[in-house]
Amino acid sequence: MEVQQELQKLPKMIAIGLVVFLSVALLMSTYFGIDAGDRGVVLRFGEVNRLVDPGPHFKVPFAEDVVRMTVRVQKSTTKTEAASRDLQVVQTTMVLNYNLDPSKAGEMYSNIGLNYSERVIEPAVKESFKAAAARYTAEELISKREALKTEVRNYLRDRLVVYGITVVELSITDFEFSQEFNKAIESKQTAEQNALRAKRDLDRIRVEAQQKIASAQAEAESLRLQRAVISPELIKLRQIEAQMKAIEKWDGKLPNVTGGAVPFIQIDKLQ
């Protein structure tokens, strides 16, 4: 009898348990949370209904869904090519750091969707680089890279701001030109180096010649000054000095064989 009563209660207990489970599941489905750095786009029957900030929120079960969109700084890498002003084809990779304006997240999802990087950012990067590269020659693309980057970045800011996308920074990696252009650049650099070396040699020769001229002028000036101070008294003094040196070297003996008259020095007059 008790077993039969328990069996009669079992469907009722199952029903109660199912109701409790569904109630809990229903309650849980009304709650959702948005992390910091994200925004929640609440869709009601597929249409954007409202935009919610980070934190806990509630939604209408079975009628509303939530799409999370990040507003953190993101990176987009785009490979592109363009023609320079002198019709040289250049390839490069552009890295764009950007973030989505939090207030524009709902509009972005409604108009573009989640893949807005492929649909909006990459085409804008390619277009901006082509427009800017056409204003520079191939060599200027290398020598004026900062000016080129600034021009492309400003163009992207004006182009993407209408979508609620903020440009943070732009980087341009090394350019790749055709093989013929690379050979031409190498030849030009070699010629410039040879010209610079020749100029340095010419400058060195010119400096050495100027040094020799200055040395000759100094020597000539020295001789002129010496001639200017020569006098009969100086000549007589030099003669006396020469005779004194000869006396110091004489050993007191006359040579056995001479080829001429023996010089006679009057010692008493010198004394």
Side-chain angles (χ1 to χ4, degrees):
M1 189 67 176
E2 292 181 359
V3 174
Q4 186 176 2
Q5 291 178 350
E6 292 295 331
L7 291 176
Q8 290 177 352
K9 293 180 180 179
L10 184 59
K12 184 182 295 185
M13 295 176 62
I14 294 175
I16 294 174
L18 183 61
V19 170
V20 171
F21 174 78
L22 292 176
S23 299
V24 173
L26 182 62
L27 179 64
M28 292 297 296
S29 65
T30 62
Y31 169 83
F32 67 95
I34 300 298
D35 296 331
D38 292 342
R39 292 297 183 272
V41 180
V42 180
L43 307 178
R44 179 171 295 177
F45 299 111
E47 297 290 336
V48 176
N49 178 261
R50 64 186 184 278
L51 186 68
V52 295
D53 296 328
H57 300 277
F58 292 93
K59 62 184 179 64
V60 178
F62 309 113
E64 293 182 342
D65 294 318
V66 179
V67 177
R68 292 168 176 80
M69 300 188 69
T70 181
V71 295
R72 299 182 180 91
V73 175
Q74 303 179 74
K75 181 175 72 174
S76 174
T77 302
T78 305
K79 293 184 177 181
T80 183
E81 68 176 27
S84 63
R85 193 177 65 194
D86 52 352
L87 302 181
Q88 293 292 335
V89 177
V90 55
Q91 296 179 341
T92 188
T93 300
M94 308 189 74
V95 180
L96 177 67
N97 293 331
Y98 67 94
N99 69 282
L100 179 63
D101 184 352
S103 64
K104 300 288 185 178
E107 184 178 346
M108 175 63 76
Y109 181 82
S110 178
N111 297 332
I112 308 298
L114 293 175
N115 59 339
Y116 57 89
S117 178
E118 293 81 4
R119 297 182 61 183
V120 174
I121 294 178
E122 291 185 7
V125 170
K126 293 179 179 180
E127 181 181 347
S128 62
F129 178 68
K130 289 180 179 179
R135 298 165 56 88
Y136 297 85
T137 64
E139 292 187 25
E140 288 174 343
L141 290 176
I142 301 174
S143 61
K144 299 181 179 180
R145 177 177 296 187
E146 286 300 320
L148 173 68
K149 185 177 75 172
T150 301
E151 189 171 338
V152 175
R153 183 175 60 225
N154 292 340
Y155 181 89
L156 282 173
R157 284 175 176 171
D158 296 338
R159 178 72 183 274
L160 297 178
V161 70
V162 297
Y163 296 98
I165 298 173
T166 302
V167 173
V168 177
E169 189 52 81
L170 176 71
S171 299
I172 302 178
T173 62
D174 293 336
F175 297 112
E176 296 181 5
F177 297 94
S178 64
Q179 187 176 0
E180 293 76 12
F181 179 77
N182 290 333
K183 290 181 179 179
I185 290 295
E186 292 177 0
S187 299
K188 181 178 179 180
Q189 290 177 345
T190 302
E192 290 177 349
Q193 291 175 356
N194 292 336
L196 180 60
R197 188 180 299 108
K199 182 178 182 301
R200 289 176 178 173
D201 291 341
L202 182 61
D203 292 340
R204 177 179 55 79
I205 294 172
R206 184 181 296 110
V207 170
E208 291 177 353
Q210 291 175 350
Q211 290 175 345
K212 291 181 179 180
I213 293 173
S215 178
Q217 290 176 344
E219 185 175 356
E221 180 65 15
S222 176
L223 293 174
R224 187 188 68 80
L225 293 175
Q226 289 181 9
R227 287 194 300 267
V229 298
I230 291 177
S231 62
E233 290 78 8
L234 180 61
I235 295 174
K236 185 175 181 180
L237 177 61
R238 292 291 183 264
Q239 291 174 348
I240 294 174
E241 290 176 351
Q243 292 174 356
M244 292 297 293
K245 290 181 180 179
I247 292 173
E248 292 175 357
K249 295 180 179 180
W250 184 44
D251 57 359
K253 297 179 181 180
L254 294 175
N256 296 326
V257 180
T258 62
V262 177
F264 179 77
I265 303 173
Q266 297 180 357
I267 300 303
D268 55 345
K269 291 184 177 181
L270 292 176
Q271 291 177 350

